[in-house]
Amino acid sequence: FGLWLGKEAEKRGKFVIYHVAGDVRYGYLSPKYKGILRLLAKAIGNYLHKKSFGLGNNGVFLCTGSKLLNFYKSTGKRAIYFIDSLISSENLKMPKIELNYPVKMLYVGRILEEKGVFFLLDAIEEIRDEYNVELNIVGFGRDENKLKEKIQDKRYIRFHGFIGNNSDLHNIYSENNIFVLPSLSFYEGFPRVIVEAWANGLFVISSRVGGIEGLGKDRQNLMFFKAGDKADFIENVRLIIENGELRNKLAKGVREVQEVITFEYSVSIIKNIINEI
């Protein structure tokens, strides 16, 4: 519907701002698609992706993620990197370079296998052989009951359930040291939870998926690991815990990226486009 609406608006001489939040070509990788439905979802995703390149002759694409940005720029369209943030610059917090013990790790997101939640549980088991760590999990989803069963005897893992985007959620961010995004979903745009973690001064460890690269820079403002690679993930945890020099470097990178992840910065991009029109 969005493609049709944009096309009709441009036909009528309207300037259109398109917000492209994720790569529709990889939607078929979701576990909800199986067999013939997966093949159909892949075909439709590729079709919609190609059709979108016919738009934007009288408009601009706001792209959440570097891959999407490069795609649209490569077709000669006007494209701008855009994070739709709701975080006020007044609420930014300085990174905490010194770690508390136990080291507290945080996951915020949907409780789905493709988001890497169960991968994370297995990895935490191994990490605890070396380090005193705890894991906090915030979110909801179809695999919530499976999660509860797996952690019922594990006192070092706490499931908070769903918490809205309010002071309670930001307090949980502030109480933790390391934020983890273990997603196995290659169709991610730029997850808002990474922005929230940066805003609250957390160190971030993320799988290298979707459009996180670009704004996310490995060993500068976050740590990347290969999606699904437990050894790679554990090595990143080890580096953050043991390497104070690396933590200092990451903290500096977080402070720099905080300048472009605020609500005010997002609004300024829209204002500039409107002023040009």
Side-chain angles (χ1 to χ4, degrees), residues 25-234:
R25 294 177 304 163
Y26 297 109
Y28 77 96
L29 293 173
S30 170
K32 68 182 178 182
Y33 298 121
K34 291 179 172 52
I36 190 67
L37 278 180
R38 174 164 284 199
L39 294 175
L40 185 61
K42 184 176 182 179
I44 291 174
N46 280 300
Y47 171 77
L48 293 174
H49 179 72
K50 290 177 181 177
K51 288 290 287 184
S52 71
F53 286 158
L55 304 174
N57 295 321
N58 186 30
V60 59
F61 289 92
L62 302 183
C63 300
T64 302
S66 57
K67 289 185 179 179
L68 291 168
L69 180 73
N70 293 333
F71 281 138
Y72 287 100
K73 280 190 171 182
S74 70
T75 64
K77 307 298 181 185
R78 184 183 176 195
I80 298 172
Y81 197 103
F82 183 78
I83 302 293
D84 51 325
S85 173
L86 297 175
I87 297 166
S88 170
S89 57
E90 298 176 352
N91 296 326
L92 297 175
K93 297 174 183 175
M94 297 292 286
K96 296 175 288 188
I97 297 172
E98 296 303 319
L99 298 179
N100 300 320
Y101 289 91
V103 176
K104 293 187 176 183
M105 304 176 68
L106 175 66
Y107 170 87
V108 179
R110 285 177 289 167
I111 310 302
L112 305 173
E113 187 169 352
E114 62 263 35
K115 292 297 183 179
V117 177
F118 302 108
F119 162 87
L120 181 57
L121 296 183
D122 291 340
I124 289 295
E125 289 291 323
E126 292 191 27
I127 291 170
R128 280 185 59 82
D129 291 339
E130 293 185 58
Y131 304 105
N132 183 10
V133 298
E134 293 181 355
L135 175 64
N136 288 287
I137 299 175
V138 176
F140 69 99
R142 68 167 181 267
D143 293 329
E144 195 172 319
N145 289 332
K146 180 181 176 182
L147 171 68
K148 291 176 180 177
E149 289 176 10
K150 280 185 168 290
I151 68 172
Q152 60 183 346
D153 298 324
K154 296 178 171 58
R155 295 182 179 178
Y156 52 88
I157 300 177
R158 183 181 176 191
F159 177 52
H160 298 263
F162 172 76
I163 299 176
N165 189 16
N166 53 36
S167 59
D168 291 337
L169 179 60
H170 290 284
N171 287 337
I172 287 180
Y173 274 109
S174 298
E175 292 168 1
N176 285 269
N177 305 112
I178 301 173
F179 178 81
V180 181
L181 191 136
S183 179
L184 307 173
S185 303
F186 288 90
Y187 52 90
E188 297 276 7
F190 193 99
R192 190 172 295 168
V193 287
I194 291 183
V195 173
E196 293 171 355
W198 276 336
N200 285 282
L202 274 70
F203 299 113
V204 174
I205 300 177
S206 172
S207 52
R208 197 186 292 267
V209 295
I212 300 173
E213 285 187 275
L215 191 59
K217 299 187 183 301
D218 192 26
R219 302 205 179 191
Q220 293 185 43
N221 53 32
L222 53 65
M223 301 286 282
F224 274 127
F225 70 96
K226 184 179 179 182
D229 190 326
K230 192 187 302 181
D232 194 13
F233 170 73
I234 291 173

Side-chain angles (χ1 to χ4, degrees), residues 243-273:
N243 194 326
E245 185 177 338
L246 175 62
R247 292 199 301 273
N248 272 296
K249 183 178 179 181
L250 290 172
K252 180 181 178 183
V254 170
R255 287 194 296 269
E256 290 173 354
V257 81
Q258 282 180 344
E259 297 177 4
V260 296
I261 62 170
T262 64
F263 173 74
E264 292 87 348
Y265 188 82
S266 300
V267 169
S268 71
I269 291 175
I270 304 295
K271 282 184 176 180
N272 288 338
I273 293 170

Side-chain angles (χ1 to χ4, degrees), residues 1-12 14-21 24 44 47-61 72:
F1 176 74
L3 295 178
W4 172 84
L5 185 62
K7 184 177 181 180
E8 291 300 311
E10 287 192 50
K11 277 184 183 179
R12 289 162 174 73
K14 307 297 184 183
F15 186 92
V16 181
I17 300 174
Y18 298 95
H19 181 207
V20 189
V24 69
I44 291 174
Y47 171 77
L48 293 174
H49 179 72
K50 290 177 181 177
K51 288 290 287 184
S52 71
F53 286 158
L55 304 174
N57 295 321
N58 186 30
V60 59
F61 289 92
Y72 287 100

